[in-house]
């Protein structure tokens, strides 16, 4: 048994080491991980950005959008499935979550309920891991590798109403013309279905392609990243992401999409 485990760990190390020479995939995985192995598998496939649903249950943060039926549930904690595996990578690679990858890694958290309780618990759990974080507080930058973001501005205002926090905000299409500081809002998320009715078959209408290119230009001019949600999930869309220079597709089918980007290159 021990020999099998060692072989698996060794193989994983080889895979991650080989991958470090390749480009990261333009993907945010919105599939809730159930254990640390899923995160490491994602890194091995070039997926470095994540979205997870978080709930505060009896003093711990669990990865779920629904309250479990029983106290004997097997839900993973946020620390076990995401935070500690990322920190393990950060320490193992001497300050990099993936060797040679210079960008920030985004972890987007959906606070299902009790945002203040979640934030207080998150702050406590992140305290020993804080060297990994990138954030900006009162004009001061702390340079790490991981940006933790939320999408709900009302929740963030409540959190920051208590004291300045380390969370950033995911903006939406209405925020593009507001030019919010990229240190507070490093990512803009746009609904693909608001841009085009194209379903991923054949070529996207040229005028819709140009709409996407225009959004990319505006967002990048503000030193932010742009992510598309609710996209078709196929190779044609992977080609579109690359040619339009969109930074990410946000998808629960991250591993399948990673294959399309690998074929595209």
């Amino acid at each position: 048994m021990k020999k099998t485990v060692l072989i698996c760990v060794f193989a994983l190390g080889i895979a991650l080491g080989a991958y470090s020479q390749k480009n990261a995939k333009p993907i945010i995985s919105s599939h809730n991980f159930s254990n640390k192995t899923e995160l490491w598998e994602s890194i091995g496939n070039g997926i470095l950005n994540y979205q997870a649903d978080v709930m505060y249950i009896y003093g711990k943060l669990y990865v779920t959008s629904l309250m479990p039926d029983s106290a004997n549930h097997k839900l993973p904690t946020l620390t076990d499935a995401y935070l500690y595996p990322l920190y393990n990578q950060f320490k193992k690679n001497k300050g990099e979550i993936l060797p040679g990858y210079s960008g920030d890694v985004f972890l987007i958290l959906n606070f299902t309920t009790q945002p203040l309780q979640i934030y207080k618990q998150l702050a406590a759990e992140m305290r020993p891991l804080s060297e990994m974080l990138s954030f900006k507080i009162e004009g001061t930058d702390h340079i790490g590798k991981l940006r933790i973001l939320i999408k709900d501005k009302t929740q963030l205002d409540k959190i920051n109403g208590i004291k300045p926090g380390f969370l950033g905000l995911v903006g939406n299409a209405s925020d593009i013309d507001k030019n919010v500081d990229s240190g507070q809002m490093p990512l803009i998320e746009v609904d693909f279905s608001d841009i085009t009715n194209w379903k991923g078959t054949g070529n996207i209408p040229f005028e819709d392609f140009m709409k996407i290119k225009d959004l990319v230009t505006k967002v990048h001019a503000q030193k932010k990243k742009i992510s598309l949600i609710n996209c078709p999930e196929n190779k044609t869309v992977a080609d579109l992401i690359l040619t339009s220079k969109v930074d990410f597709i946000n998808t629960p089918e991250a591993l399948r999409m990673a294959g399309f980007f690998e074929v595209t290159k």
Side-chain angles (χ1 to χ4, degrees):
M1 179 66 180
K2 289 183 179 179
K3 183 177 180 181
T4 301
V5 172
L6 288 173
I7 291 173
C8 290
V9 170
F10 180 69
L12 179 62
I14 292 175
L16 293 179
Y19 178 74
S20 66
Q21 304 304 316
K22 300 180 182 179
N23 293 325
K25 303 295 192 305
I27 295 172
I28 297 174
S29 173
S30 58
H31 164 69
N32 283 341
F33 294 157
S34 59
N35 55 61
K36 61 188 177 184
T37 303
E38 289 188 71
L39 186 139
W40 284 333
E41 181 184 9
S42 292
I43 292 177
N45 282 277
I47 303 162
L48 307 180
N49 301 278
Y50 316 100
Q51 177 178 303
D53 298 313
V54 181
M55 184 173 286
Y56 180 85
I57 305 174
Y58 301 125
K60 292 186 178 182
L61 300 182
Y62 290 96
V63 180
T64 180
S65 61
L66 299 171
M67 180 66 74
D69 295 332
S70 166
N72 297 320
H73 65 82
K74 301 297 183 181
L75 293 171
T77 65
L78 181 67
T79 293
D80 287 344
Y82 289 89
L83 301 181
Y84 188 73
L86 287 169
Y87 187 67
N88 178 272
Q89 288 291 115
F90 178 81
K91 294 298 287 185
K92 183 181 72 174
N93 296 319
K94 299 179 180 179
E96 295 186 323
I97 291 174
L98 187 73
Y101 181 71
S102 60
D104 276 331
V105 168
F106 292 129
L107 174 59
I108 303 169
L109 300 180
N110 296 324
F111 292 180
T112 51
T113 58
Q114 299 179 280
L116 297 182
Q117 285 280 31
I118 290 176
Y119 176 71
K120 290 176 183 177
Q121 184 63 30
L122 179 62
E125 294 184 18
M126 283 306 306
R127 194 168 293 119
L129 318 178
S130 60
E131 62 183 310
M132 175 174 64
L133 282 177
S134 289
F135 57 91
K136 186 173 185 176
I137 293 181
E138 297 177 350
T140 301
D141 291 313
H142 181 274
I143 306 301
K145 284 295 181 181
L146 178 69
R147 291 299 312 267
I148 301 181
L149 311 177
I150 64 174
K151 297 183 181 183
D152 192 316
K153 187 177 187 300
T154 301
Q155 289 182 348
L156 188 61
D157 287 342
K158 288 179 180 178
I159 290 167
N160 287 342
I162 298 176
K163 67 173 186 175
F166 54 80
L167 301 179
L169 185 66
V170 178
N172 55 40
S174 68
D175 293 307
I176 293 176
D177 294 327
K178 296 176 183 177
N179 202 20
V180 178
D181 178 74
S182 61
Q184 301 298 328
M185 184 186 290
L187 179 66
I188 296 286
E189 184 177 84
V190 178
D191 193 320
F192 188 74
S193 63
D194 289 340
I195 303 171
T196 178
N197 293 320
W198 182 63
K199 304 302 181 184
T201 302
N203 294 323
I204 186 172
F206 181 74
E207 60 271 22
D208 293 344
F209 177 76
M210 292 308 297
K211 288 178 187 176
I212 295 172
K213 288 281 290 181
D214 182 55
L215 289 174
V216 170
T217 299
K218 288 180 178 179
V219 171
H220 286 177
Q222 298 175 28
K223 297 181 180 180
K224 299 182 176 78
K225 305 288 188 181
I226 182 169
S227 173
L228 296 180
I229 60 171
N230 296 326
C231 296
E233 292 157 331
N234 56 35
K235 183 180 181 301
T236 306
V237 172
D239 292 341
L240 170 66
I241 296 295
L242 292 176
T243 55
S244 64
K245 300 189 184 303
V246 167
D247 296 288
F248 306 110
I249 176 174
N250 186 317
T251 172
E253 298 290 339
L255 289 176
R256 189 163 69 87
M257 285 301 298
F260 293 133
F261 285 109
E262 192 68 37
V263 170
T264 301
K265 290 185 178 182

